[in-house]
Amino acid sequence: MIHPVPSTIGDLLSKPYTFEIPRYQRDYSWQREEIGELIDDLSGSDNSLYLGTMIFDAADKDKTGSVSVVDGQQRFTTILLMLIACRVAARRLKANQIEAQTQGRIAFVDPSTGDTRGTRLKVSSSIRDVFELMADESWDESFPPKIGKKHVRLQVRALRPAFQLISDTLDIKSKDQLSKILSAIYRISIIRIDVDA
């Protein structure tokens, strides 16, 4: 059964479950053109940016605590990278409350310790290790060639240019600018379609 519902990115990132990219989805592949277009559209919208339809398979949500992203992977992953860039900017600006709130949209945060318990979006396995490193609140903005004993050069090659482009394009210099960008991201509207397969 199909259930189309108007929603926002802020709504999605407030849900108590994980969004997961299924194995059959293609790898994250957005580059300069697509990322630049999304950021231009976001900064050029007065009220809220409409990002089209995103389709989710919620059939196993109650059993697994996760929903599969059937359509919308590239957009959703890029938005999470934008939030990581905002969290990094918040840290640089010493905007501790904004940093903590943003982290709570990137990952599930233990309310008693403030530690990250897992990302809200389980990205494609082709970038997962590096993405999870970046999504952790303690990430130091470095891109190591290995995580543990695993070589992650290909993951770094996919994510570092995308993240650098996002950071450079957003070019966040003040708390006010940061707040406006975050507000615009959370207001991005979509039509959410849950398919109970």
Side-chain angles (χ1 to χ4, degrees):
M1 188 168 255
I2 296 175
H3 311 284
V5 177
S7 191
T8 66
I9 293 300
D11 292 338
L12 291 182
L13 296 176
S14 297
K15 298 297 181 193
Y17 46 81
T18 304
F19 292 91
E20 187 164 355
I21 307 301
R23 290 182 185 270
Y24 63 80
Q25 290 276 7
R26 65 188 174 113
D27 294 343
Y28 178 71
S29 61
W30 270 22
Q31 295 182 357
R32 178 169 295 280
E33 183 178 338
E34 297 91 352
I35 293 170
E37 188 175 311
L38 175 60
I39 294 173
D40 287 347
D41 289 348
L42 185 65
S43 56
S45 64
D46 291 332
N47 293 324
S48 69
L49 172 64
Y50 173 66
L51 214 53
T53 301
M54 294 179 81
I55 302 173
F56 303 96
D57 180 350
D60 295 328
K61 179 177 71 175
D62 294 333
K63 273 194 284 185
T64 63
S66 67
V67 170
S68 293
V69 181
V70 176
D71 182 50
Q73 176 209 170
Q74 305 291 326
R75 291 169 285 165
F76 210 174
T77 303
T78 303
I79 287 166
L80 266 291
L81 290 172
M82 290 171 70
L83 289 177
I84 292 170
C86 288
R87 187 202 63 212
V88 167
R91 180 176 296 154
R92 286 189 186 144
L93 294 167
K94 300 191 182 340
N96 299 339
Q97 288 182 327
I98 296 174
E99 180 183 357
Q101 290 296 318
T102 306
Q103 182 62 20
R105 296 296 180 100
I106 295 166
F108 296 99
V109 176
D110 185 316
S112 61
T113 64
D115 294 337
T116 298
R117 292 189 307 192
T119 56
R120 289 187 178 272
L121 176 64
K122 286 214 178 292
V123 296
S124 152
S125 60
S126 67
I127 58 169
R128 187 169 294 161
D129 300 293
V130 173
F131 180 86
E132 288 180 358
L133 173 74
M134 296 169 68
D136 191 273
E137 75 276 357
S138 64
W139 181 51
D140 64 3
E141 299 178 58
S142 67
F143 289 91
K146 289 168 80 174
I147 296 177
K149 294 184 178 186
K150 184 174 184 178
H151 289 278
V152 292
R153 286 187 181 96
L154 291 176
Q155 293 185 41
V156 168
R157 196 175 302 153
L159 284 177
R160 180 169 37 200
F163 182 76
Q164 193 63 54
L165 175 63
I166 290 166
S167 295
D168 291 348
T169 305
L170 291 177
D171 192 29
I172 300 168
K173 303 281 193 210
S174 70
K175 289 180 186 178
D176 185 53
Q177 180 191 14
L178 174 60
S179 294
K180 286 179 181 171
I181 290 168
L182 285 168
S183 180
I185 291 170
Y186 298 143
R187 284 193 328 262
I188 292 172
S189 63
I190 62 162
I191 297 296
R192 174 182 177 156
I193 296 179
D194 283 353
V195 179
D196 298 324

